[in-house]
Amino acid sequence: MLLHFGCKRLLKQRDVSRFSGVFGEEQQVTEVGAMNIFTLMKTDAGCELVTPPLTSGTVLPGVTRRSILELAMAKPGLTVSERKITLPEILTAQAEGRLLEMFGSGTAAIVSPVGGLKYNGELHKVPTPKFGLASQFLQQLNDIYYGHIEHPWAVDVLGTNFTQEEADVTSVSLDIKS
């Protein structure tokens, strides 16, 4: 597994587009590129979406991470866990056909599927379902961002009637050019 200390040239030489952060002897998966990582696996109880916890000190908090966690918790039948996850656990799930999907989340990419894990020179394919969780979350977030659906996270700034006092406090300024 390529660690954070790799460079773009090394990634290109190894035919890898992103690197994943693994930590310690247990090979805890901490992130993918500069994004938070999410792993969806089949379990005896159904499906579990796992992301490393913020308490580890190796994972940065983020609005997109928090948003995905909140959207995921609203999905019936999906167990959402913030817990340690290791590369051996993921590779075992992949070998057993229990690895359903992996994706990263972050401010710039929003949601980005992971199509494979290259480890010890071997590519372990990861499913990227067309209508999987990654695409569902990306669609939901875009719908919220662009006001296609009403959601408590979104405020219609142009349709809001701010009083002068509120405008002074919020300092909202729009400079829209065609």
Side-chain angles (χ1 to χ4, degrees), residues 62-93:
V63 172
T64 309
R65 178 186 185 275
R66 177 83 266 154
S67 299
I68 287 175
L69 287 171
E70 289 183 25
L71 292 172
M73 286 181 223
K75 290 200 171 289
L78 180 62
T79 301
V80 180
S81 303
E82 291 182 77
R83 66 169 177 82
K84 174 180 71 173
I85 187 164
T86 65
L87 185 58
E89 178 184 2
I90 293 170
L91 293 176
T92 297

Side-chain angles (χ1 to χ4, degrees), residues 12-171:
K12 188 173 181 177
Q13 289 172 350
R14 298 209 178 158
D15 195 28
V16 177
S17 63
R18 288 192 179 94
F19 53 89
S20 176
V22 293
F23 179 73
E25 289 182 25
E26 292 179 279
Q27 296 182 308
Q28 293 178 49
V29 175
T30 58
E31 60 187 14
V32 59
M35 297 180 286
N36 297 108
I37 186 79
F38 290 84
T39 304
L40 180 65
M41 298 181 292
K42 285 184 202 172
T43 66
D44 292 337
C47 290
E48 179 185 28
L49 182 65
V50 181
T51 193
L54 297 177
T55 56
S56 70
T58 59
V59 177
L60 293 174
V63 172
T64 309
R65 178 186 185 275
R66 177 83 266 154
S67 299
I68 287 175
L69 287 171
E70 289 183 25
L71 292 172
M73 286 181 223
K75 290 200 171 289
L78 180 62
T79 301
V80 180
S81 303
E82 291 182 77
R83 66 169 177 82
K84 174 180 71 173
I85 187 164
T86 65
L87 185 58
E89 178 184 2
I90 293 170
L91 293 176
T92 297
Q94 188 268 348
E96 294 174 351
R98 295 184 299 105
L99 180 61
L100 301 175
E101 189 173 4
M102 291 180 75
F103 56 90
S105 76
T107 303
I110 306 173
V111 178
S112 182
V114 173
L117 301 169
K118 194 164 189 177
Y119 180 67
N120 285 339
E122 185 179 343
L123 180 62
H124 302 269
K125 292 191 180 218
V126 177
T128 55
K130 184 175 184 175
F131 299 107
L133 277 184
S135 64
Q136 290 176 41
F137 290 142
L138 179 59
Q139 185 65 53
Q140 282 182 284
L141 290 170
N142 279 329
D143 286 347
I144 293 167
Y145 294 158
Y146 294 108
H148 299 304
I149 60 172
E150 287 190 29
H151 196 280
W153 297 341
V155 176
D156 182 1
V157 177
L158 295 177
T160 302
N161 293 319
F162 289 108
T163 65
Q164 184 58 47
E165 185 177 313
E166 289 170 326
D168 290 342
V169 170
T170 58
S171 299

